[in-house]
Amino acid sequence: MVRPSGLLTRQEEPVPLKSICVTLSIREFVAGVAATLNYENEEKFPLETFFVFPMDEDSAVYSFEAMVDGKTIKAELKDKKKAHIIYESAISHRHQAFLLEEDKCSRDVFCCNVGNLQPGSKVALTLKYVQELPLEADGALRYVLPAVLNPRYRCSGSPEDSCLDLKTPIVPLDDLPYAFSMTATVSSQHGIETIQSNCPLSPIEYLGDKKTSAQISLADGHKFDRDVELLIYYREVHTPSVAVELGNPKNNPDGLMKDPSAMVCFYPNIPEVEPSAICGEFVFLMDCSGSMQCPISKQDKSQLRIEAAKETLILLLKSLPVNCHFNIYAFGSSFEAFFPNSVKYTQDTMEEALRRVKLMRADLGGTEILTPLQVIYREPSIPGHPLQLFVFTDGEVTDTFSIIKEVRNHRLRHRCFSFGIGEGASTSLIKGIARVGGGTSEFITGKDRMQAKALRALKHALQPAVEDVSVNWDLPRGLSAKTLSPEQTVLYKGQRLIVYAQLTGTMPPEEGTGEVCLNYTLQGKSCENKVTFSLQPKLDDNFTIHRLAAKAFLQSMDIGFGETPAKTKKDVLKVSIDCGVISSHTAFIAINKDVNKPVQGPLACRDIPRPVLLGAAVQMPQCKRVVFGETYLVQLISLQNADGSWDLDEDLARILGISLKDLWSALPVKDADSSSWATVLAVVWLHAEAKHQKCEWELLEKKARSWINSNAGSIKKKLVKAAIAFTKSSVDPAVFGI
């Protein structure tokens, strides 16, 4: 990292970065992005500027160029160490130079250096990247342009030359000194249902009879005061597909870019099956650092991160299956385990955990995840109970690669599900640990409900393991496929699977087709999904599929600047440079060789202010404490017993809005077990009063119905009909299996 050697930008100094312009093109589930940074030196001496900014971890950055005085200077991708030597040499000789690199600590942080920006000169720097868009549970494709880069907590042992060490000025989002604009084109052959955003948009212009295309732009006056999020709903999103793209043999006689590449998109139709009786060990690792005291988003009445996390833990505790084992760790600068070891899920252990969850505060200082992770992994495995780890954090750390490596080292004994809380959470950390840990990742921003996303992950964790996953190709003679994506070992119901492959050999005539098949085993039963596709490659000047394939390879092999083994680094460097996709070991470097004479005068440093959520910075007291009272739903769930039942008491009566005396009087069968009556009433209440939040209580309600079936016996039908009539609800008795 090139260190700053001058003054930090003070409020009265002009900021060299004047505007950021983003052009976005989304085709089906792939986004192509061009971001232009416009600089102008209004001072009387040459400047060196540093701009640290966030990027999504999945972004494959493949182009960086500078427009200086009407001339385009295209950057070259080189070994990072060599790029720094070239940059420093150019600066020392007073030549204009530009450098773009990933941070050494995290894939989702970039630094852009502009060296020797002459007085009065203007420079436009454009970086381009492509990215797969994640698929949400409701079928939306989610694109996020990050605005927020929160301060990352430094742990002992972290690299000393991280971009995040630059003492760049921090300003509230509303006070950014540079302008921002974004325009987008969205297209799908299946047609666009609707497009939503967390930011005000100009009227959306739909094109084509079937709304196959749309033009989008942010409303005038947008201040880039939050992450820009687009949710795109197509009319059909679960259609398997294969796209084949021409290679570039002329400029790449060998390597990945030479041959055609294929991108296969599967939507495995994994059948619903009952979870096995042996349920597993569930460990919840909850961030209680000071930054968790901040709101989830900038929106009004946004819940505090820690309060949403506590509600989520209550839901998870109540949704755990009978006979499993569990533990909870709260972490910050230090950590606390609720129990010395994972304990069996009983009424007593659940009540103790619930008591401690309600006492949790965001008061444990910084964010050190690695140490509690190591402690969890040192615990002996519980026979017959595979470990399922859930990590909740706002992701403000600098030892990202060390954490990912730790999870990766234990990938064979557990699955890891991760949750990024609030804007600015590290996509590199959250996606990275889930990817290497065979789990799923979720991000909670804006009006997202952490509870719903956590329960969806728990459902995945309870699914029986999909085994013997393989992808097989049936191609014409003389043509073969080499898979570039990492080996897929985990599949979940409702998720998309993307596979990249390099096609080598002789391509068939125009009518030629191929077939690719996804095979797997579920509870001893063999399953397969097949897709037939055309073998006519299409030309794409940006080589989008090749870049995405290279990114998939790099994500699996490049585990950090200081973590990647030497034998793997060689392959990482070759793929990165051949395909032009940046990695932790490469950087883009451009030198303006057209300047006739060196820049004159002393060089001053200017660090571009970066935005943070107000209060998300080191000054934690700035965060307003907004306490949200427990909803009736959370209160009702808190009363549920570990076995799935409820007790007939004053607390339940208060939530139902009926006196306890009247509840007893309405008991339809004399001398019947009061818990059976209470549990039926609670389930009826869930369906009548909280049906819009079913995804949050679905698992615990299933546990309650199982308890009713086992304990109510022959009077179940009477209890259900009496409860529905007594509460005057319209709940269908069929929900109880009647």
Side-chain angles (χ1 to χ4, degrees), residues 63 93 137 194 259 270 341 377 400 439 478 513 647 670 729:
S63 174
H93 288 90
T194 185
D259 298 303
I270 300 174
N341 308 99
Y377 291 143
T400 299
T513 61
D647 296 326
K670 191 176 181 181
S729 73

Side-chain angles (χ1 to χ4, degrees), residues 281-286 316 373 377 386-393 407 414-420 429-442 453-463 490-492 495:
E281 176 190 7
F282 298 86
V283 175
F284 305 102
L285 185 55
M286 181 60 69
L316 288 168
L373 266 181
Y377 291 143
L387 175 62
Q388 313 273 12
L389 178 63
F390 291 72
V391 180
F392 296 84
T393 179
V407 175
H414 86 306
R415 290 190 287 188
C416 180
F417 300 87
S418 57
F419 304 85
L429 174 68
I430 304 304
K431 291 184 178 181
I433 61 176
R435 184 175 60 250
V436 301
T440 58
S441 60
E442 299 277 6
K453 294 194 172 186
L455 266 293
R456 183 161 67 242
L458 180 57
K459 289 178 188 176
H460 288 151
L462 291 172
Q463 286 181 15
V490 180
L491 294 175
Y492 294 106
Q495 285 202 305

